[in-house]
Amino acid sequence: MVDHIANVTVLGTGVLGSQIAFQTAFHGFDVTAYDIDDAALAGARQRFAGLATTYTRELAGGVAGKADEALSRIRLTSDLADSVVDADLVIEAVPEILSVKQDTYEKLAAVAPQRTIFATNSSTLLPSDLKRHTGRPDRFLALHFANQIWRLNTAEIMGTADTDPAVFARVVQFAKDIGMVPIELHREKAGYVLNSLLVPFLNAAAGLAAGGYADPETVDKTWKIATGAPVGPFQIFDVIGLMTPYNLMSHGDEDAQRIAGWLKENYIDKGHLGVATGQGFYSYPSR
Ligand code: NAD
């Protein structure tokens, strides 16, 4: 039996967890946001207030009512057992460290109702890496959002061979109910759909510039004019921030490490980390 989803608990209230919790509350669900201690919850309150401002500006035509209602539907707690008492669905967005996630699921499995569905927002781990620790592999899957969930509204849904198809279908419906476009994967794939496309694309663009074949501006111009895409790969790099690709590439093969060195020397060491710092491959003077 797969129950109707009404109460949602989000574990971790960082960049993505706060967005998932707010988006869910904005669409009328009761949300409990869990984080490890009072300091983390204080950070969460600030993030929720910032999201209320953003949603009001970008989605509610400047009228704060709906965002304020969303805020009132979010309960914060640092007590894990309390956070899941009534949970129909738990969405986990704790740090991307295998041992932290495994430990979180073991603690969660001990206190959550047996009916509760667990979903991980992990970007790089497979649900198979975690399912043993959940105590309910049939009610566990990945539900992966993109940063800036209110605008970039894909929700990639990926089960393991053990995931009950009814649970998968229920989570697909939930994704729609919170304003997402569900992207269903039939099998497990590291990187889901989006990063399976995006990572090689960005690597190829960086390889062209780092190898001295063409400037970033030329690469972007080519991509935009010849495909009609609104942005080029280096504009995407700037939005993501250069540190994440740098960290990934510096642990990669020889070619990837060469590109990482180029990124470090020409951009990172100069503080040009992307949109967030006002300068990356391009300048963002208003930031
Ligand atoms: P973050 O570091 O911003 O937030 C992590 C939160 O988890 C913090 O609030 C921290 O206090 C809390 N936390 C730490 N230990 C915990 C524990 N043991 N139990 C519960 N909470 C704990 O991280 P993030 O960027 O929000 O990423 C979270 C997850 O979302 C990761 O799995 C990541 O792969 C995924 N994700 C991130 C992005 C992104 O763009 N940042 C995009 C998609 C998916």
Side-chain angles (χ1 to χ4, degrees), residues 14-16 34-36 93-96 101 121-123 144-145 147:
V15 175
L16 255 284
Y34 163 85
D35 215 307
I36 43 177
V94 309
E96 191 72 350
K101 292 212 191 262
N121 182 47
S122 175
S123 293
H144 180 245
F145 298 92
N147 193 9

Side-chain angles (χ1 to χ4, degrees), residues 22 26 48 51-53 55-56 60 63-72:
F22 197 87
F26 195 73
F48 288 136
L51 287 167
T53 306
Y55 275 60
T56 299
V63 181
K66 210 175 158 206
D68 288 343
E69 278 173 33
L71 280 177
S72 73

Side-chain angles (χ1 to χ4, degrees), residues 34-276:
Y34 163 85
D35 215 307
I36 43 177
D37 55 26
D38 287 347
L41 292 182
R45 279 192 190 88
Q46 278 188 352
R47 268 190 284 277
F48 288 136
L51 287 167
T53 306
T54 302
Y55 275 60
T56 299
R57 188 179 61 233
E58 296 192 19
L59 301 181
V63 181
K66 210 175 158 206
D68 288 343
E69 278 173 33
L71 280 177
S72 73
R73 277 195 286 271
I74 303 175
R75 178 173 79 93
L76 288 108
T77 179
S78 58
D79 178 335
L80 184 66
D82 173 54
S83 78
V84 293
V85 170
D86 290 324
D88 301 311
L89 171 66
V90 172
I91 304 172
E92 168 272 307
V94 309
E96 191 72 350
I97 301 167
L98 182 62
S99 59
V100 171
K101 292 212 191 262
Q102 291 178 339
D103 182 55
T104 299
Y105 280 107
E106 279 170 19
K107 291 185 175 136
L108 181 63
V111 293
Q114 199 43 247
R115 67 184 167 82
T116 308
I117 297 170
F118 296 169
T120 180
N121 182 47
S122 175
S123 293
T124 61
L125 301 169
L126 292 174
S128 282
D129 298 332
L130 301 167
K131 68 179 178 185
R132 281 196 324 284
H133 303 265
T134 65
R136 62 195 72 198
D138 59 325
R139 305 177 84 77
F140 175 62
L141 75 180
L143 173 61
H144 180 245
F145 298 92
N147 193 9
Q148 301 198 353
I149 182 171
W150 64 93
R151 281 190 323 116
L152 309 178
N153 61 333
T154 52
E156 297 183 285
I157 300 154
M158 183 170 83
T160 72
D162 294 327
T163 307
D164 178 346
V167 167
F168 190 97
R170 193 70 203 82
V171 172
V172 168
Q173 183 58 48
F174 168 75
K176 290 182 191 163
D177 291 344
I178 63 164
M180 297 289 114
V181 176
I183 309 293
E184 300 180 37
L185 280 98
H186 302 311
R187 296 172 54 204
E188 279 188 286
K189 170 86 177 87
Y192 303 85
V193 172
L194 178 62
N195 283 336
S196 296
L197 295 167
L198 188 59
V199 171
F201 173 64
L202 294 181
N203 286 349
L208 285 169
Y213 299 103
D215 299 331
E217 294 78 6
T218 304
V219 173
D220 278 2
K221 188 167 64 183
T222 310
W223 184 251
K224 289 192 283 188
I225 295 174
T227 69
V231 292
F234 290 97
Q235 290 173 285
I236 298 175
F237 266 120
D238 275 357
V239 171
I240 296 171
L242 271 52
M243 284 312 292
T244 302
Y246 170 74
N247 287 332
L248 286 174
M249 287 180 197
S250 55
H251 293 104
D253 62 16
E254 212 175 295
D255 281 348
Q257 288 186 27
R258 199 166 28 246
I259 297 170
W262 171 81
L263 275 176
K264 183 173 183 324
E265 188 182 327
N266 293 287
Y267 299 94
I268 290 169
D269 284 352
K270 296 176 180 165
H272 298 178
L273 304 183
V275 174

